[in-house]
Amino acid sequence: LRLLEQREQEDKAKLEWLRAAAKEGFDAADRGDYVALSSDQEIDDFVDQVRREVSEKLVAEKVRA
């Protein structure tokens, strides 16, 4: 029973996080803060760029720590 209650709490927390993330995304789109991609190549290039930026930030955080 405790395990079931724990899973329900975890599911509830995940759902709350997902709702907040969705709201943040919709609010950004309403402000016009988005990138329009027209082709598979543009999508691939954008994902690669984001991956590089995140990797660089993670490396910088590790160096600071």
Side-chain angles (χ1 to χ4, degrees), residues 44-56:
D44 290 342
D45 292 345
F46 181 76
V47 169
D48 288 342
Q49 176 187 349
V50 170
R51 185 178 296 126
R52 281 191 305 274
E53 290 173 5
V54 169
S55 294
E56 290 170 2

Side-chain angles (χ1 to χ4, degrees), residues 18-52:
L18 183 58
R19 285 183 176 140
K23 182 180 181 330
E24 183 179 331
F26 289 127
D27 289 348
D30 288 343
R31 290 189 309 270
D33 187 18
Y34 61 89
V35 176
L37 305 169
S38 303
S39 69
D40 290 345
Q41 186 60 49
E42 286 182 355
I43 293 170
D44 290 342
D45 292 345
F46 181 76
V47 169
D48 288 342
Q49 176 187 349
V50 170
R51 185 178 296 126
R52 281 191 305 274

Side-chain angles (χ1 to χ4, degrees), residues 8-22:
E8 287 177 356
Q9 289 290 25
E10 290 171 356
D11 289 347
K12 183 178 177 182
K14 288 176 186 175
L15 186 57
E16 288 174 11
W17 178 87
L18 183 58
R19 285 183 176 140

